[in-house]
Amino acid sequence: TNNANFSVGGSSKRGLAVDNRAILKSFVNNASFKHTGSNSLIYVRGGGTIQNITNSGEMSIAGADQGWKSVIRLEDAGNLTGARVDAINFIGNSTTSNVNASGTKWNVISIGSATSSIGAITARDNATINGHFSFDQGTIGNITFQDSARITGNISLAGSSRISKILIDGSNSSGTN
């Protein structure tokens, strides 16, 4: 659990990396978790699993210049062993963004391997997401926006990726590009 202001910089560093079949039960951000450089903030690969990611504070990247440099990135390790995140929750007036200094939006969540998966993505309680969900491959369960949550960005699928269901609750949730 992050209850402080935590930042990482540089082009080769990440804030949190789960790799090589490691399992992290939960990562909760209640404060500020930022990447001031240009790499992924949370990186899951090579059979790594995070069972729950919850942001109720601010998670952001300031210097991204490529789509794979995401707030949350899943990929395999070249051995066909994908990564898994069971649940991603954006809640309680949180802000999650990947917008660089020139105003270009990059990916908040991206999957770059057919063997990687996300169980559910939920945004609620006035959560704000500035950036894209980009699924080049992989499997995504449900994506839900409710209780005035909003996204400014795209949700895109390519290759063999698939989403089971997208639900936008009628209570002031919104999405714009």
Side-chain angles (χ1 to χ4, degrees), residues 11-12 16 20 27 31 36 44 48 52 80 85 103 116 118-120 142 147 169-170:
S11 62
S12 63
L16 172 65
N20 199 23
F27 175 76
T36 59
V44 189
N52 175 63
L80 301 178
V85 175
S116 292
I118 298 172
N142 299 332
D147 302 325
D169 183 296

Side-chain angles (χ1 to χ4, degrees), residues 87-90 109 118-123 133 135 140 142-145:
I88 301 172
N89 300 289
F90 305 105
I109 302 173
I118 298 172
I121 301 168
T122 302
F133 291 174
F135 308 120
I140 302 89
N142 299 332
I143 299 175
T144 304
F145 288 86

